[in-house]
Amino acid sequence: MFGYVTICEPELKVKDLRKYKAYYCGLCQKLKEAYGAVGQMTLTYDMTFVIVLLTSLYESQTELTEHRCKVHPVKKQKMLRNEITQYGADMNILLTYYKLADDWIDEKSIRSLLGNGFLRKRAREVIRRYPRQSKAIRRSLRELSKCEQQNSMDLDKTAGCFGELMAELFVYKRDMWEERLRKIGFYLGKFIYLMDAYEDLEEDLKKDCYNPLRKLSQREDYEEEIKRILCMMIAECCAEFEKLPCLLDVDILRNILYDGVWNHYKNIQKKLMDGKEKKDV
């Protein structure tokens, strides 16, 4: 359910693209240093966005370093890191840990059980440091699980569970920006959940798996309606973002919110169009 909050590379200036990659590589390096190779496997674009946003808002002092890695063993990669990078790494671990635990309970996936076991010791340390975020993730995933068991088609309720989860993660500090950051996370979380359901719908229908869009997809105006809902969620998110005094890296942030989040939607539409053309032939 992650990887939707990324850049639209063709629309990003070269200098901003390099800087975004430096933030991403900085998060990857921090995960390696703090949690080893297992930690690096939890790396997401979504948390990179959180780091860029919070760094911009709080104007955190950021360090530029260069390191080699397994992916780029020859040329050293530029990496941007600060105290928020550590926060992003910790949240990556928390999200993955609880998601794997949830998958084991729901699906009895041995892979999820093993992954959860590898992360348990590391995750417990993070839970002690961030009890508020930890409780929010557990509560939201528990509510989502109930919705799935009840086969709920209430989009506001189901997407809202994930929205509440993301809302809590965006609150780095309990300060004057808390309410605004919470709203950004909430609407972005709902967008991510619905986009994930939209992308998985065809496969879920084939396997007869739960998908909150199953009922909506039976309507003739399904495509128009799901686009309207997605647009509404990201519009609310962007409206709250524009109220923040973000100046640093604002072009990167706007590229992600106004263009990048639609990358998967465009790919889905292209597949639908290609499939329709094949049928016509």
Side-chain angles (χ1 to χ4, degrees), residues 9 23 38 44 49 62 67 69 96 118 120 127 223 238:
E9 190 167 330
Y23 277 115
V38 175
T44 66
F49 169 75
T62 304
H67 298 273
C69 64
T96 306
F118 282 126
R120 185 171 293 116
I127 291 168
E223 288 295 337
C238 291

Side-chain angles (χ1 to χ4, degrees), residues 11-253:
E11 299 297 325
L12 201 59
K13 295 177 182 176
V14 174
K15 67 180 182 67
D16 288 330
L17 177 60
R18 288 173 180 166
K19 195 169 186 181
Y20 175 79
K21 287 182 176 179
Y23 277 115
Y24 182 77
C25 290
L27 174 58
C28 183
Q29 183 68 16
K30 178 60 69 175
L31 283 165
K32 178 184 177 183
E33 292 174 358
Y35 302 109
V38 175
Q40 282 181 294
M41 294 172 64
T42 71
L43 181 65
T44 66
Y45 288 112
D46 309 73
M47 201 53 65
T48 305
F49 169 75
V50 175
I51 292 170
V52 179
L53 173 64
L54 295 176
T55 296
S56 178
L57 177 61
Y58 291 109
E59 299 180 347
S60 300
Q61 190 66 36
T62 304
E63 178 187 15
L64 177 63
T65 59
E66 293 187 359
H67 298 273
R68 289 188 178 88
C69 64
K70 289 182 179 180
V71 179
H72 305 97
V74 179
K75 184 180 179 180
K76 288 185 177 181
Q77 300 299 302
K78 287 182 169 56
M79 301 180 183
L80 287 169
R81 294 186 290 177
N82 53 41
E83 73 276 8
I84 295 172
T85 311
Q86 180 65 60
Y87 177 75
D90 291 340
M91 293 304 103
N92 258 356
I93 294 298
L94 265 189
L95 282 168
T96 306
Y97 174 72
Y98 283 123
K99 182 64 171 66
L100 289 171
D102 191 60
D103 288 346
W104 164 246
I105 293 171
D106 291 344
E107 304 169 12
K108 294 297 181 286
S109 167
I110 298 298
R111 185 178 178 182
S112 296
L113 179 64
L114 291 174
N116 182 262
F118 282 126
L119 288 176
R120 185 171 293 116
K121 183 178 179 181
R122 299 171 177 88
R124 283 175 177 170
E125 296 173 5
V126 181
I127 291 168
R128 282 195 293 270
R129 288 200 299 272
Y130 300 100
R132 170 174 57 84
Q133 291 89 334
S134 176
K135 288 177 183 177
I137 294 172
R138 287 202 308 269
R139 182 176 61 250
S140 296
L141 291 178
R142 190 163 55 243
E143 289 301 314
L144 262 178
S145 182
K146 287 181 182 178
C147 288
E148 292 177 6
Q149 291 169 14
Q150 296 166 1
N151 199 33
S152 174
M153 296 294 119
D154 185 337
L155 298 184
D156 192 52
K157 181 180 180 181
T158 53
C161 291
F162 197 73
E164 293 290 348
L165 183 157
M166 292 298 289
E168 207 65 48
L169 299 192
F170 270 67
V171 179
Y172 177 56
K173 299 177 181 180
R174 306 296 293 269
D175 58 13
M176 63 185 292
W177 304 118
E178 177 182 352
E179 183 180 352
R180 197 139 289 155
L181 287 170
R182 197 179 291 280
K183 288 181 179 178
I184 292 171
F186 178 72
Y187 289 113
L188 187 60
K190 291 182 77 172
F191 177 90
I192 291 171
Y193 181 83
L194 292 170
M195 185 65 82
D196 183 68
Y198 179 61
E199 185 170 30
D200 291 346
L201 180 64
E202 185 177 349
E203 192 67 23
D204 287 340
L205 291 176
K206 287 180 181 177
K207 295 180 178 179
D208 195 28
C209 295
Y210 170 77
N211 190 301
L213 298 178
R214 180 187 291 265
K215 184 177 179 181
L216 183 65
S217 67
Q218 296 171 0
R219 288 172 44 170
E220 291 185 5
D221 64 341
Y222 166 63
E223 288 295 337
E224 292 80 3
E225 184 63 12
I226 189 61
K227 184 176 182 181
R228 184 190 68 79
I229 295 171
L230 289 169
C231 284
M232 185 168 60
M233 293 301 101
I234 207 64
E236 293 285 355
C237 175
C238 291
E240 294 300 327
F241 163 73
E242 293 296 347
K243 295 174 185 176
L244 293 176
C246 292
L247 297 176
L248 178 69
D249 301 323
V250 70
D251 289 339
I252 297 176
L253 293 167

